[in-house]
Each structure stands twice: as structure tokens, then as C-alpha cells.
Amino acid sequence: MTSIPQWLQSEPGDYVLEAQLPLKHRFLRWLGRQTWIYRGQDRLLRLVYNPDANKHFKFEVGFFGQRYRGDLGHFIDWNVFCYGSYAYHELLLLRDIASELKAQRVAPISFYDVGANVGNHTLFMAPHVDKVFAFEPFALVRAFIEDKIALNGLTNVTVFPFALGETDGDVPYYPSPDGNSGAGTLIENRLSTFADPAIVQIRRGDSFLKKESLPRIDLIKADVEGFEAFVFRGLSGRIRQDKPAIILEISDDSRKGFGSEDSFRQAFYEGALFAEVAGGNGRPYKLKSFKYGTAAEVLVMPPEMSGIMKKLTHGA
């Protein structure tokens, strides 16, 4: 039987609203918004409240005009509480791309969140696109997305209880042993450093999207902790057909999965444009020249979107 990591074990008690926050927690939120602190801000925040200490504090705060429930014992929620969001630069980039696509197209815009985790990106993007399709295979984490959807009364979000990959089946998923839900992985070679696996379902992307008659992929974010190559091989048909804008994480495990830079580039559409995405919590994005061996986040766009790419590069 799979053991549940301590940080995921449910805690009793209600969510504390912003007006009811203790002084220490108010200071934590204030400190996280001091964007003039360029170095050492994360370290200072951790001195006030360390998200790795397995101390639970359930909160409900504002989130870009919506409501966000979280727990300071969870790393992503800690970022939302302190900085206002997790991966703020990614959210701004996704928002700006969606805005440009809406200005150019009459058809509805669909965002696909692959590796949706606790729903930070899904919740943020719901007001900016017509449809959101979120994929999160791990039930204990997926429950947090479903809670956010219910809390905010979202009607344009669909959550699928699957991972996307090359094949259909059941596979082991290794939850993070600490509070970073974003570090859970389907990559087996991390077994020694992760919690006991849970069995989750995986679907080949092209087949699943066809079966469910899902609409065009206009914008997709993939953050699946080294499993990116399998996601895009399974989605190869729709990626070439739909030519979406793509934001993906790329790690050493990702590069191993792709095999080579040529194979990475060939995983997308002909003439694809690449840029490295830089930024941080509470700070805007910056697009830089893409270097396969060192990039951690990548923006991929079809040649038809070269004007958008240029605008994002110089106007970010």
C-alpha cells in the first residue's frame, strides 16, 4: 500500500482569511512583495516561515481577482502566499500570448495545462482564455485544483485525471517526500529520492484528444519533471496540426528523454522558433537566446507567430 507523504496528510481546521492573519503571516506577505530586494529575498522569507518544516497553516487569499486556498506547508502554496503567485513570470507570459492570440483570432482560445499540479496556472489562465484543459494524474494533488474550481465557480475548466505520454496504461508516480508537489515525477530513476509510488493513469495525447473531441491546442504549458519528451511524442500529431505556442520546462532528465538537440527541435513543428524564458517569483519574464544545453524553460512558437515572438521579446 502506498504511503502518503506527511505534507499531503490532511490537517483539521478552517482556512484563515487575509483579514484574520496573525502579525507574523502579514509580515511574510508584505516581505514577499518587496520587489526591490533583488538578492536574498527567498532566504529572508524562509527565515520567517520555512515551507520545508512541515508546519501546516491553511489560508485563503486573493489571487488576481479570484480566491486561492492553500497551505504554507506546501511549497507552491507558500510561493502564492508570499509572492502573490508561483512562477509569476510564466503566468505573465501565458497571459500576454493569450491576449495576442485573441487579438488575431475570432475562434475560441484553448489553454492546455499538462502537469497542472495544484492549479496555480489553471486558475490564473481561466479568465484569460475560453477553455482550460488541465491534466493532473495524482489524485491527492488534483483535489486541490478541484477545490479551487468550486471555490471560484469556474465553468470553463475541465480537469482530466491522467498524465499524457506516448502510450495508454497504468504507471508509477513518485510523489515528492517534502512539500514541493511540483517535484513529483513519473521518471523511475529518481526512485531512491522520492516517496513510495502511487499508480496513476497515462494516456497517449493524440488518441485521447481525438476520442474526447477536444478543441484546438492554442497554448500549452508542460511541466512534468523530466517526462516532457514522452508528452510531446504522444502529442506529435496535434502539435504539428494545431501549431500552438508552447511553454515547457526542460531539465537534464528532459534532455535525456529527447536524446539530442536535433530530436528536441524535431519534436515540434517545422520552422519552430525557440527562446529561453527567464524570470522569477514576483518579477516579469524576459526572453533570451535559446541554448539547449543550459535552458531551464523554453518558449516554442510556430513561424506564423514570429510577430508575436518579436513583440514579446522586445516588449516584455
Side-chain angles (χ1 to χ4, degrees):
M1 183 175 179
T2 301
S3 62
I4 300 175
Q6 182 180 351
W7 67 273
L8 270 173
Q9 295 175 19
S10 61
E11 290 284 322
D14 297 327
Y15 290 91
V16 178
L17 301 177
E18 287 171 271
Q20 303 166 335
L21 290 174
L23 182 60
K24 173 182 176 179
H25 295 75
R26 293 183 185 183
F27 175 70
L28 189 66
R29 279 176 65 75
W30 175 86
L31 183 60
R33 282 155 176 75
Q34 305 310 302
T35 55
W36 56 271
I37 306 176
Y38 289 101
R39 294 184 180 180
Q41 187 178 23
D42 195 78
R43 181 163 48 85
L44 289 173
L45 289 166
R46 286 173 176 272
L47 287 174
V48 179
Y49 197 109
N50 188 347
D52 301 328
N54 282 323
K55 293 181 180 179
H56 294 274
F57 181 87
K58 297 165 72 174
F59 63 86
E60 182 182 321
V61 295
F63 183 82
F64 303 98
Q66 302 185 85
R67 305 300 298 170
Y68 189 106
R69 284 178 179 162
D71 186 330
L72 284 179
H74 300 179
F75 177 71
I76 291 177
D77 293 346
W78 178 85
N79 278 272
V80 172
F81 186 88
C82 296
Y83 293 108
S85 66
Y86 175 72
Y88 179 66
H89 63 294
E90 289 182 11
L91 301 183
L92 292 187
L93 180 55
L94 288 166
R95 181 204 64 187
D96 288 352
I97 295 172
S99 177
E100 292 293 333
L101 293 177
K102 278 192 168 185
Q104 295 184 8
R105 298 178 184 172
V106 176
I109 302 298
S110 296
F111 168 60
Y112 285 67
D113 190 357
V114 182
N117 205 271
V118 298
N120 176 75
H121 290 64
T122 286
L123 181 60
F124 177 84
M125 288 300 290
H128 297 290
V129 296
D130 298 285
K131 293 287 185 181
V132 178
F133 300 98
F135 294 82
E136 176 50 56
F138 189 37
L140 294 177
V141 169
R142 190 171 61 249
F144 299 130
I145 307 177
E146 294 165 342
D147 178 72
K148 292 176 179 66
I149 292 171
L151 176 65
N152 290 282
L154 300 177
T155 59
N156 65 335
V157 178
T158 302
V159 181
F160 294 109
F162 314 116
L164 291 183
E166 283 189 279
T167 59
D168 293 348
D170 296 334
V171 295
Y173 170 87
Y174 302 96
S176 171
D178 56 34
N180 187 358
S181 58
T185 182
L186 295 168
I187 302 296
E188 291 187 53
N189 64 6
R190 295 182 179 182
L191 175 61
S192 62
T193 59
F194 281 76
D196 293 340
I199 300 302
V200 300
Q201 297 181 21
I202 191 169
R203 296 289 183 268
R204 179 173 176 82
D206 283 340
S207 303
F208 182 76
L209 268 61
K210 181 178 181 180
K211 177 183 176 183
E212 297 294 319
S213 300
L214 296 186
R216 171 177 176 166
I217 307 172
D218 295 295
L219 181 56
I220 182 170
K221 179 226 91 181
D223 184 352
V224 288
E225 296 302 302
F227 206 68
E228 286 78 10
F230 303 94
V231 169
F232 286 102
R233 282 199 283 265
L235 275 173
S236 61
R238 286 295 295 265
I239 293 297
R240 287 173 171 78
Q241 172 187 305
D242 297 348
K243 295 185 178 180
I246 301 166
I247 295 178
L248 73 149
E249 182 184 80
I250 181 168
S251 62
D252 288 341
D253 280 324
S254 306
R255 281 180 271 268
K256 187 181 297 182
F258 283 109
S260 68
E261 181 172 354
D262 285 343
S263 295
F264 171 79
R265 290 178 179 274
Q266 291 169 13
F268 309 102
Y269 25 70
E270 186 175 354
L273 307 172
F274 298 87
E276 180 177 351
V277 182
N281 283 317
R283 291 175 173 81
Y285 62 87
K286 182 178 181 181
L287 300 184
K288 303 163 55 178
S289 297
F290 173 63
K291 296 181 180 179
Y292 178 73
T294 58
E297 291 180 82
V298 184
L299 171 64
V300 186
M301 301 187 85
E304 295 89 339
M305 294 186 193
S306 60
I308 296 178
M309 176 75 92
K310 184 176 181 180
K311 186 174 182 178
L312 295 172
T313 302
H314 297 290

